[in-house]
Amino acid sequence: MKWLVSLSEKEQRMLIILFILLVAVLALVGLIGLGVKKIMQFQSRKVDEGMSYLVTTKVVKDERHFRRLARKKNYRLVFAQYFFPILIIGLDILFIFLYVELSGDQAIIQEMFSYDARGVGTLFFVFDWANIPRATFFGLSLPSDWPPILNTPHFVLAAWPNYVFVTTAFICAIWLLVSTQAFIARSWRIYKKSRTIFIKSLDSINSLDMINK
Amino acid sequence: MLQFLKLILFGFLYIVLSPVIVAVLALALAYGLIVFVLLFLKSIVLFFGGRTIFSDYPEDIAAKIILGQIRDSGSEAGTVK
């Protein structure tokens, strides 16, 4: 603890800020993780919808049968949920392809993410991370300030094909990821439930009760 | 306080496990895309046969018949009363 006392006031303040930042980041990640977990629990309910009446009517009587049928139904749901994002991505690619073919403007593809031409980068703050100000702290070179700004958000009319293409592709990518998350959630529930539904347990059986009856 | 500590611990765990989570997500996405392509081809074949991949499985039909019978016997018992 002696080293803590020997620190200058500036260093102590910096240490406290770093600690608070670390705790805030960990808490935020923990919250996001809990949120994702809750969403996955909600998504996995589709398995119950499709399989519960098959188990209660005893059409499905064993673990292997349950898992096989549930997997088939899961694949159907994957197909249904992937269909629209993949279709939209396909149309999106067709759109940019047709635009380049009709206008003969190949450069728009190369400028897709640029901030100083006709890219989507024009819509965002762009920082010069390579030249971020640094300070030495305990022998470590750490960032000490925000980096210089290279671009502030501004609309470029000539960049509209890239705006449309990248935005649509981004939305579809998120859509696909959420569908994949649902796929994982359902697969996990199928596996877990198949192990517990048809379990033959001696714990609930009392043979003396049966004899007395 | 304990809840908050748990949250921080989970946050740390998620950060440590994030490469595994991303890998699982990527593998599931690849697997899902393969499933999608195969079912898409199957749906095209079934489409020209006048069928769809979303039709009921034999197990679904059997379960619906059983549920119908239970419902009918229930309503009959209701009318007897």
Side-chain angles (χ1 to χ4, degrees):
Chain A
M1 287 307 275
K2 228 175 183 181
W3 64 274
L4 204 61
V5 183
S6 65
L7 292 175
S8 71
E9 197 166 321
K10 192 186 168 193
E11 282 173 332
Q12 281 181 359
R13 215 178 299 154
M14 209 159 162
L15 205 65
I16 290 167
I17 290 170
L18 272 176
F19 179 74
I20 291 170
L21 239 147
L22 185 73
V23 168
V25 167
L26 288 179
L28 188 72
V29 172
L31 268 178
I32 293 169
L34 280 181
V36 169
K37 213 170 153 188
K38 287 252 184 256
I39 292 169
M40 284 179 86
Q41 278 169 359
F42 178 75
Q43 287 166 332
S44 66
R45 280 188 207 159
K46 279 272 176 196
V47 176
D48 302 38
E49 272 175 39
M51 294 303 294
S52 58
Y53 68 100
L54 294 172
V55 177
T56 50
T57 53
K58 295 195 174 162
V59 172
V60 174
K61 287 175 186 162
D62 61 83
E63 189 181 326
R64 283 186 68 184
H65 191 189
F66 177 86
R67 218 181 282 176
R68 189 163 50 83
L69 194 61
R71 200 183 299 141
K72 278 187 189 173
K73 290 192 171 192
N74 195 10
Y75 288 167
R76 278 181 174 185
L77 279 171
V78 168
F79 177 74
Q81 291 182 343
Y82 275 26
F83 188 80
F84 283 107
I86 289 177
L87 179 74
I88 296 169
I89 286 177
L91 291 175
D92 203 27
I93 293 169
L94 186 71
F95 157 74
I96 201 79
F97 176 76
L98 283 177
Y99 179 83
V100 170
E101 281 299 309
L102 293 175
S103 66
D105 183 11
Q106 293 267 349
I108 201 151
I109 302 282
Q110 279 132 29
E111 293 168 7
M112 193 169 281
F113 299 103
S114 68
Y115 61 87
D116 51 359
R118 294 176 295 167
V120 279
T122 54
L123 294 177
F124 300 97
F125 280 105
V126 180
F127 297 100
D128 189 7
W129 293 104
N131 296 314
I132 190 167
R134 288 176 169 276
T136 309
F137 185 69
F138 283 116
L140 293 171
S141 174
L142 297 173
S144 62
D145 202 355
W146 282 97
I149 292 176
L150 292 173
N151 179 62
T152 49
H154 63 284
F155 189 81
V156 179
L157 191 61
W160 72 268
N162 275 338
Y163 291 163
V164 172
F165 178 75
V166 175
T167 311
T168 313
F170 180 74
I171 291 168
C172 289
I174 298 289
W175 194 344
L176 270 179
L177 281 181
V178 172
S179 303
T180 306
Q181 184 191 301
F183 175 40
I184 295 169
R186 288 194 303 268
S187 303
W188 182 242
R189 184 151 179 88
I190 289 167
Y191 173 73
K192 256 173 61 185
K193 283 289 137 191
S194 70
R195 299 286 304 266
T196 54
I197 293 174
F198 303 102
I199 202 160
K200 289 182 175 71
S201 172
L202 289 172
D203 291 338
S204 57
I205 300 173
N206 187 338
S207 58
L208 287 176
D209 281 353
M210 287 170 140
I211 293 165
N212 290 339
K213 277 176 191 173
Chain B
M1 189 63 193
L2 200 71
Q3 203 73 11
F4 187 68
L5 277 176
K6 214 171 139 187
L7 194 72
I8 289 169
L9 201 73
F10 270 112
F12 179 71
L13 200 73
Y14 289 137
I15 287 175
V16 171
L17 291 178
S18 58
V20 180
I21 294 169
V22 170
V24 168
L25 203 63
L27 282 176
L29 180 65
Y31 188 61
L33 286 174
I34 292 168
V35 167
F36 176 81
V37 170
L38 291 177
L39 282 188
F40 184 67
L41 295 174
K42 190 181 171 185
S43 72
I44 291 171
V45 173
L46 287 177
F47 175 76
F48 288 108
R51 288 182 294 159
T52 162
I53 60 162
F54 292 108
S55 55
D56 281 345
Y57 287 114
E59 287 90 343
D60 288 315
I61 297 166
K64 278 173 187 169
I65 290 169
I66 293 169
L67 285 174
Q69 284 169 351
I70 292 167
R71 210 175 298 130
D72 289 345
S73 61
S75 61
E76 275 171 24
T79 47
V80 171
K81 277 179 188 176

